[in-house]
Amino acid sequence: MPYGLRSVAGVEAHAVVHQSEVGVVPVPNNNSRPPAAWCHSGNQLKRWRTLADISREALAAAANYAPETIASMERGVRMPTPRVLDVAEELCGAQGMLSAAKEYVRRERYSARAVDFIEREREATSLWTYEVALVPGLLQTQAYARALIDNRIPPLDEETVEERVAARMERQAILTERKPPVGLSFVLYEAVLRSPLVDAEQLRRLLEVSRLRNVVVQVLPFERAFANALEGPMVLVEGHDHERFAFTEGAFVSELSAEPGVVSRVTERLSMIRTRALDPDESARLIERMVNRP
């Protein structure tokens, strides 16, 4: 049992609470809403460009982007990159107004879908995580993170890729730098480890993290899987004052919820998955065999 995590029975009992005892019920789902800094900066970009009578094509050529990409930035769908803001600043004579936006858009280092969850993660006292296809962000090597972020469809520009890789690496401070330590439990379906993206370096990283006293890493083997374990990743977050949130994610939608029924169902499924998974020592031995395979 990782440091700071309750027993399975204790967590399940705590899941049944009144709505008035939960800080936010439910947490709004902002999947379709881009970050406010993107929208405001994009709007200002368009206004200054229009005022200066600079065509979108001219700005795109000067900044080495496609006009369609500039249009997406102006709509707030994409982050206006520092390069675009600086180029537009010079072309439009914006008196520092556009370049000043760089400080704010750089703070939005996560996709719109992830912002609410990241805020809860920063405040967490414990995290239970289950992944069915990918290594969790907190356990990824830089190379693995870059491979995922840099191969999106539609693709991200290089500056956004760099920002998001750096942000993902910075999140991993939760593993060792928080006082008191955060209790962290990870269960990985065996398919995660068998992915061609997972190399020996990534496997060794899993072993390294599993040795931390506040972290438990388990593997759910193929032969022990059950239907609910194949439905997708789940995270259970507990913060100060025992506020608890369930995060579930799919290909195109994610949900962060404090609704007691949702939290209870996710808790039950995570508890069953942990019970079916190999224990930490068995899991480490499996990963070690994979590192040493020919």
Side-chain angles (χ1 to χ4, degrees), residues 241-272:
D241 301 320
H242 308 304
E243 290 181 323
R244 301 175 68 247
F245 302 87
F247 182 72
T248 55
E249 190 171 20
F252 299 105
V253 66
S254 58
E255 180 183 14
L256 179 68
S257 177
E259 198 279 313
V262 175
V263 171
S264 182
R265 287 194 298 275
V266 169
T267 301
E268 183 178 5
R269 291 183 181 183
L270 282 171
S271 299
M272 181 59 71

Coordinates of all heavy atoms in Angstrom, one line a residue, residues 241-272:
D241 N -8.9 18.2 2.6 CA -10.2 18.1 3.1 C -11.0 16.9 2.5 O -12.2 16.8 2.5 CB -11.0 19.4 2.8 CG -10.4 20.6 3.5 OD1 -9.9 20.4 4.6 OD2 -10.3 21.6 2.8
H242 N -10.2 15.9 2.0 CA -10.8 14.7 1.5 C -11.7 14.9 0.3 O -12.6 14.0 0.0 CB -11.5 13.9 2.6 CG -10.6 13.7 3.8 ND1 -9.4 13.1 3.7 CD2 -10.8 14.0 5.1 CE1 -8.8 13.0 4.9 NE2 -9.7 13.6 5.8
E243 N -11.6 15.9 -0.4 CA -12.4 16.1 -1.7 C -11.9 15.1 -2.7 O -10.7 14.9 -2.8 CB -12.2 17.5 -2.2 CG -12.9 18.6 -1.4 CD -12.7 20.0 -2.1 OE1 -11.6 20.2 -2.6 OE2 -13.6 20.8 -2.0
R244 N -12.8 14.4 -3.4 CA -12.4 13.4 -4.3 C -13.0 13.6 -5.6 O -14.2 13.9 -5.8 CB -12.8 12.0 -3.7 CG -12.1 11.8 -2.3 CD -12.5 10.6 -1.6 NE -12.0 9.4 -2.3 CZ -12.8 8.5 -2.9 NH1 -14.1 8.7 -2.9 NH2 -12.3 7.5 -3.5
F245 N -12.2 13.3 -6.7 CA -12.7 13.5 -8.1 C -12.3 12.3 -8.9 O -11.2 11.7 -8.7 CB -12.0 14.8 -8.6 CG -12.3 16.0 -7.9 CD1 -11.5 16.4 -6.8 CD2 -13.4 16.8 -8.2 CE1 -11.8 17.5 -6.1 CE2 -13.7 18.0 -7.5 CZ -12.9 18.3 -6.4
A246 N -13.1 12.0 -9.8 CA -12.9 10.9 -10.8 C -12.7 11.5 -12.2 O -13.4 12.4 -12.6 CB -14.1 9.9 -10.8
F247 N -11.6 11.1 -12.8 CA -11.3 11.5 -14.2 C -11.3 10.3 -15.1 O -10.6 9.3 -14.9 CB -9.9 12.2 -14.2 CG -9.5 12.8 -15.5 CD1 -10.1 13.9 -16.0 CD2 -8.5 12.1 -16.3 CE1 -9.7 14.4 -17.3 CE2 -8.1 12.6 -17.5 CZ -8.7 13.8 -18.0
T248 N -12.1 10.4 -16.1 CA -12.1 9.4 -17.2 C -11.9 10.0 -18.5 O -12.2 11.2 -18.7 CB -13.5 8.7 -17.2 OG1 -14.5 9.6 -17.3 CG2 -13.7 7.9 -15.9
E249 N -11.3 9.3 -19.4 CA -10.9 9.9 -20.7 C -11.1 8.9 -21.8 O -10.8 7.7 -21.7 CB -9.4 10.3 -20.6 CG -8.9 11.1 -21.8 CD -7.5 11.7 -21.5 OE1 -6.8 11.1 -20.7 OE2 -7.2 12.7 -22.2
G250 N -11.5 9.4 -23.0 CA -11.6 8.7 -24.2 C -10.9 9.4 -25.3 O -10.2 10.4 -25.1
A251 N -11.1 8.9 -26.5 CA -10.4 9.5 -27.7 C -10.7 11.0 -27.9 O -9.9 11.8 -28.3 CB -10.6 8.7 -28.9
F252 N -12.0 11.4 -27.7 CA -12.4 12.7 -28.1 C -13.1 13.4 -26.9 O -13.5 14.6 -27.1 CB -13.4 12.6 -29.2 CG -12.8 12.0 -30.5 CD1 -13.1 10.8 -30.9 CD2 -11.9 12.8 -31.2 CE1 -12.6 10.2 -32.0 CE2 -11.3 12.2 -32.4 CZ -11.7 10.9 -32.8
V253 N -13.2 12.8 -25.8 CA -13.9 13.5 -24.6 C -13.3 13.0 -23.3 O -12.8 11.9 -23.2 CB -15.4 13.2 -24.7 CG1 -15.7 11.7 -24.4 CG2 -16.1 14.0 -23.7
S254 N -13.3 13.9 -22.3 CA -12.8 13.5 -21.0 C -13.8 14.1 -20.0 O -14.4 15.1 -20.3 CB -11.4 13.9 -20.8 OG -11.2 15.3 -20.9
E255 N -13.8 13.6 -18.8 CA -14.7 14.1 -17.8 C -14.0 14.1 -16.4 O -13.5 13.1 -16.0 CB -16.0 13.3 -17.7 CG -17.0 13.8 -16.7 CD -18.2 12.9 -16.6 OE1 -18.2 11.8 -17.1 OE2 -19.2 13.4 -15.9
L256 N -14.1 15.2 -15.7 CA -13.6 15.3 -14.4 C -14.9 15.5 -13.5 O -15.6 16.5 -13.7 CB -12.6 16.4 -14.2 CG -12.1 16.7 -12.8 CD1 -11.2 15.5 -12.3 CD2 -11.4 18.0 -12.7
S257 N -15.2 14.6 -12.6 CA -16.4 14.7 -11.9 C -16.2 14.5 -10.4 O -15.4 13.7 -10.0 CB -17.4 13.7 -12.4 OG -18.6 13.7 -11.7
A258 N -17.0 15.3 -9.6 CA -17.0 15.1 -8.2 C -18.4 14.5 -7.8 O -18.7 14.4 -6.6 CB -16.8 16.4 -7.4
E259 N -19.2 14.1 -8.7 CA -20.6 13.6 -8.4 C -20.4 12.2 -7.7 O -19.6 11.4 -8.2 CB -21.3 13.4 -9.7 CG -22.8 13.2 -9.6 CD -23.2 11.8 -9.2 OE1 -22.7 10.9 -9.8 OE2 -24.0 11.7 -8.2
P260 N -21.0 12.1 -6.5 CA -20.7 10.9 -5.7 C -20.9 9.6 -6.4 O -20.1 8.6 -6.2 CB -21.6 11.1 -4.5 CG -21.9 12.5 -4.4 CD -21.8 13.0 -5.8
G261 N -21.9 9.5 -7.2 CA -22.2 8.2 -8.0 C -21.0 7.9 -8.9 O -20.6 6.7 -9.0
V262 N -20.5 8.9 -9.6 CA -19.4 8.7 -10.6 C -18.1 8.3 -9.8 O -17.4 7.3 -10.1 CB -19.2 9.9 -11.4 CG1 -17.9 9.7 -12.3 CG2 -20.4 10.2 -12.3
V263 N -17.8 9.0 -8.7 CA -16.7 8.7 -7.9 C -16.8 7.3 -7.3 O -15.8 6.6 -7.3 CB -16.5 9.8 -6.8 CG1 -15.4 9.3 -5.8 CG2 -16.2 11.1 -7.3
S264 N -17.9 6.9 -6.9 CA -18.1 5.6 -6.3 C -17.9 4.5 -7.4 O -17.2 3.5 -7.1 CB -19.5 5.4 -5.7 OG -19.7 4.2 -5.1
R265 N -18.4 4.7 -8.6 CA -18.2 3.7 -9.6 C -16.8 3.5 -10.0 O -16.3 2.4 -10.2 CB -19.1 4.0 -10.8 CG -20.6 3.8 -10.6 CD -21.3 3.8 -12.0 NE -21.2 5.1 -12.6 CZ -22.0 6.1 -12.4 NH1 -23.0 6.0 -11.5 NH2 -21.9 7.3 -13.1
V266 N -16.1 4.7 -10.2 CA -14.7 4.6 -10.6 C -13.9 4.0 -9.4 O -13.0 3.2 -9.7 CB -14.2 6.0 -10.9 CG1 -12.6 6.1 -11.0 CG2 -14.8 6.6 -12.2
T267 N -14.2 4.3 -8.2 CA -13.5 3.7 -7.1 C -13.6 2.2 -7.1 O -12.7 1.4 -6.9 CB -14.0 4.3 -5.7 OG1 -13.8 5.7 -5.7 CG2 -13.3 3.6 -4.5
E268 N -14.9 1.7 -7.3 CA -15.1 0.3 -7.3 C -14.3 -0.4 -8.4 O -13.7 -1.5 -8.2 CB -16.6 0.0 -7.5 CG -17.0 -1.4 -7.5 CD -18.5 -1.6 -7.6 OE1 -19.3 -0.6 -7.8 OE2 -19.0 -2.8 -7.5
R269 N -14.3 0.2 -9.6 CA -13.6 -0.4 -10.7 C -12.1 -0.4 -10.5 O -11.4 -1.4 -10.7 CB -13.9 0.3 -12.0 CG -15.4 0.1 -12.5 CD -15.7 0.8 -13.8 NE -17.1 0.6 -14.2 CZ -17.6 1.0 -15.3 NH1 -16.8 1.6 -16.2 NH2 -18.9 0.7 -15.6
L270 N -11.6 0.7 -10.0 CA -10.1 0.8 -9.7 C -9.7 -0.3 -8.6 O -8.7 -0.9 -8.7 CB -9.7 2.2 -9.2 CG -9.6 3.2 -10.4 CD1 -9.4 4.6 -9.8 CD2 -8.4 2.9 -11.2
S271 N -10.6 -0.4 -7.6 CA -10.3 -1.4 -6.6 C -10.3 -2.8 -7.1 O -9.4 -3.6 -6.7 CB -11.4 -1.2 -5.5 OG -11.4 0.0 -4.9
M272 N -11.2 -3.1 -8.0 CA -11.2 -4.4 -8.6 C -10.0 -4.7 -9.5 O -9.4 -5.7 -9.4 CB -12.5 -4.7 -9.4 CG -12.6 -6.0 -10.0 SD -12.6 -7.4 -8.8 CE -14.2 -7.2 -8.0

